Amino acid sequence: MYEENHAEMARALAADLRKHKQEAYLMEIEFLMNDLRSTIFKLRDWVKPDRPEKTMVNMMDGVFIYKDPYGVVLVMGAWNYPLQVTLVPVAAAIAAGNCVLIKPSEVAPATSRFIAETIPKYLDQDCYRVVEGGVKETSELLKQKFDYIFYTGSGRVGRIVHQACNENLTPCTLELGGKSPCYIDSTADIAIATKRILWGKFINAGQTCIAPDYVLCSKSVQKQFLEEARSVLKEWYGENAKDSPDLCRIINQQHFQRLSSMIKGANVAIGGDMDASEKYIAPTVLIDVKAGDPVMQDEIFGPILPILTVESPQEAINFINARSQALVVYIFTQDATTQELFIHRTTSGSMCLNDTIMQYTVESLPFGGVGPSGMGAYHGKYGFDSFTHKKSCLMKDFNALGEKLASSRYPPYSDSKLSFLSTLLKKRQGFSIRFLPYALMFGVGVASALIVQCITERRN
């Protein structure tokens, strides 16, 4: 489906968000295809039963963990990357063996229509179905009993989804968001750091859940950052960013009005231009921002970057820890001590040092939030695992020796039986019986050889 519908996918993204072809391919279409290729390459290994370590008690038994599909799962996508965040978890759910009900976001109508019209051409409707609609349809879906629910979107709706899951004790993954901080100190390469921060902030017009939400830095670093930012944004988008084909638009008027209210009354250092008729907001940097300002109350989810000044790493850490856990914490520093401070003294879904967004592309890293920024994780094998029930299985046989060793569990009870079982069950550090069966077989083989040798010598 992906290979045969490149152009249609790009057109849908352009219609919803005015995404440039490069962003559409790199951030969505190619991402989808590479994720699926990786799944296909590795699926045979993923589905194999795990063989966890055995203790002495289970030396002669089979100990396995089987991967069962949950059953029928609901995947609810978001509008900001409407193909990627919808279909990546769908592919993982299919790989795990589930039937899937797909609910794309109605806020991105062109992409929703593409998914609804295209999926039936490639997938069996008895197992994989698309439901379009808005709040009414979503509310009705959440009344149904699913075996698993995967939701990507806002924290407000995430709470509603979680409450619906509680009604049926349905397990779920919630990929939400939050205000992801970005700390910069004087040891960073400010020129490179500025480019990486601005790119992470302004791709998709800032409508990215893992975009740096605000910057924490000293006044001297702020001055250098602003100088670089003016130059970089002019290089990227020209004198008038509104005329640039490389800058996305805000998804709808509701979000445009929400974002424009954050700029009004603020100290705009860069940008600030807006056009409601085109849902255009220029890449904007705010300074002299205070914790109580409107722009600092909720996730921005738009092309607005506030800067708050701090005088030390610890002050930045205190500011971050006084707020809800972020989806990502970004740190720009070459000082190893500062890096360790943030790694060990902050909590977030993930962390990226000296870059933005790129941690998302590493499929060997789980992607997900913590606390208000989400629960559960996916990408690569973590996506497969999210849609898989781990079924433990102990396999025993009727071996006479095994039954003899285990017979002390049966009544009548006695102190000697209790002592034997306590010794058998006692956990011992540094002792592994992983190779004990092989050692026993080797011992049996050696003993057999010695017996045969003795018998042969006696006959001679």
Side-chain angles (χ1 to χ4, degrees):
M1 184 182 87
Y2 298 157
E3 289 173 347
E4 295 177 3
N5 291 279
H6 281 185
E8 290 80 0
M9 295 162 85
R11 278 196 292 270
L13 294 170
D16 285 329
L17 291 151
R18 215 194 77 154
K19 281 196 181 186
H20 188 278
K21 179 180 178 180
Q22 180 165 324
E23 276 194 27
Y25 272 80
L26 291 181
M27 308 299 288
E28 302 223 38
I29 300 168
E30 291 292 341
F31 191 100
L32 285 170
M33 295 180 68
N34 284 322
D35 172 80
L36 189 50
R37 289 187 185 109
S38 179
T39 298
I40 292 170
F41 297 156
K42 299 173 182 178
L43 187 58
R44 288 185 182 274
D45 289 330
W46 292 353
V47 300
K48 290 177 181 177
D50 291 334
R51 295 172 176 263
E53 185 177 353
K54 294 191 289 186
T55 64
M56 184 178 293
V57 174
N58 303 115
M59 180 181 64
M60 303 175 68
D61 305 327
V63 178
F64 302 95
I65 300 173
Y66 288 91
K67 288 77 174 286
D68 282 357
Y70 274 107
V72 178
V73 306
L74 171 64
V75 174
M76 304 170 68
W79 56 262
N80 58 329
Y81 291 87
L83 286 174
Q84 184 214 123
V85 299
T86 303
L87 297 180
V88 166
V90 166
I94 293 173
N98 299 281
C99 293
V100 190
L101 188 62
I102 307 163
K103 170 59 179 69
S105 174
E106 74 281 5
V107 182
T111 310
S112 177
R113 176 49 41 189
F114 167 81
I115 293 173
E117 291 178 349
T118 310
I119 289 284
K121 299 176 183 178
Y122 293 87
L123 299 179
D124 186 343
Q125 288 291 280
D126 288 339
C127 296
Y128 316 106
R129 188 166 295 182
V130 181
V131 173
E132 287 192 285
V135 174
K136 178 183 176 182
E137 289 76 12
T138 300
S139 299
E140 194 60 37
L141 281 174
L142 291 175
K143 294 177 184 177
Q144 311 306 313
K145 187 182 186 306
F146 291 92
D147 299 300
Y148 199 94
I149 294 179
F150 190 107
Y151 169 77
T152 303
S154 70
R156 179 184 62 82
V157 178
R159 288 177 174 86
I160 296 172
V161 173
H162 194 258
Q163 289 174 357
C165 291
N166 289 341
E167 290 295 319
N168 293 305
L169 297 180
T170 302
C172 65
T173 293
L174 302 177
E175 296 297 341
L176 308 177
K179 297 184 76 64
S180 296
C182 178
Y183 174 74
I184 320 170
D185 75 7
S186 59
T187 70
D189 185 317
I190 302 300
I192 295 176
T194 301
K195 281 188 175 182
R196 293 176 179 179
I197 293 167
L198 295 180
W199 177 78
K201 182 62 179 182
F202 295 130
I203 53 171
N204 205 36
Q207 299 165 122
T208 304
C209 63
I210 54 173
D213 192 88
Y214 61 93
V215 167
L216 297 168
C217 66
S218 66
K219 288 186 178 181
S220 61
V221 169
Q222 174 183 281
K223 181 180 178 182
Q224 297 175 66
F225 179 85
L226 290 174
E227 291 174 357
E228 292 289 342
R230 291 186 182 97
S231 175
V232 168
L233 292 174
K234 182 179 179 180
E235 176 188 343
W236 289 356
Y237 303 120
E239 292 288 352
N240 186 0
K242 184 178 176 181
D243 296 331
S244 171
D246 302 327
L247 188 65
C248 291
R249 293 297 186 258
I250 307 305
I251 186 69
N252 58 27
Q253 283 296 331
Q254 178 186 346
H255 283 278
F256 176 87
Q257 295 301 328
R258 178 183 63 82
L259 292 165
S260 61
S261 67
M262 295 180 183
I263 298 176
K264 292 174 182 176
N267 190 347
V268 177
I270 299 174
D273 300 331
M274 296 176 281
D275 186 339
S277 65
E278 288 196 22
K279 295 176 291 186
Y280 163 77
I281 296 179
T284 299
V285 181
L286 307 179
I287 58 173
D288 300 327
V289 178
K290 301 295 185 290
D293 291 352
V295 75
M296 291 303 296
Q297 302 314 301
D298 296 300
E299 183 179 7
I300 296 171
F301 226 67
I304 305 168
L305 183 64
I307 302 178
L308 297 89
T309 56
V310 293
E311 296 305 321
S312 69
Q314 190 58 54
E315 186 180 348
I317 289 170
N318 292 343
F319 187 91
I320 292 168
N321 288 342
R323 285 148 185 82
S324 299
Q325 297 102 316
L327 187 55
V328 191
V329 169
Y330 294 110
I331 310 300
F332 284 81
T333 178
Q334 297 189 67
D335 183 78
T337 301
T338 300
Q339 292 177 358
E340 289 295 311
L341 279 175
F342 279 90
I343 290 170
H344 296 295
R345 295 188 183 179
T346 63
T347 301
S348 56
S350 59
M351 179 172 279
C352 185
L353 276 63
N354 298 321
D355 209 339
T356 63
I357 308 295
M358 298 308 294
Q359 77 282 356
Y360 189 86
T361 67
V362 184
E363 70 170 33
S364 57
L365 293 175
F367 174 76
V370 59
S373 61
M375 61 175 67
Y378 73 122
H379 283 186
K381 187 175 185 296
Y382 298 100
F384 173 84
D385 289 341
S386 289
F387 291 102
T388 304
H389 168 63
K390 311 300 184 295
K391 182 172 67 180
S392 59
C393 181
L394 173 65
M395 292 185 180
K396 301 181 76 73
D397 57 23
F398 297 103
N399 181 277
L401 177 59
E403 177 62 15
K404 181 66 176 176
L405 291 171
S407 62
S408 292
R409 61 181 166 162
Y410 303 138
Y413 301 137
S414 67
D415 289 344
S416 61
K417 287 183 177 180
L418 176 59
S419 177
F420 174 76
L421 290 173
S422 296
T423 302
L424 191 65
L425 294 171
K426 184 177 180 180
K427 300 298 181 184
R428 295 170 176 82
Q429 186 176 10
F431 178 76
S432 173
I433 57 111
R434 179 181 175 187
F435 299 106
L436 188 56
Y438 303 99
L440 289 175
M441 291 301 297
F442 177 76
V444 170
V446 171
S448 300
L450 290 174
I451 291 171
V452 170
Q453 184 179 359
C454 289
I455 293 173
T456 303
E457 288 176 352
R458 285 184 178 182
R459 287 179 178 176
N460 293 335

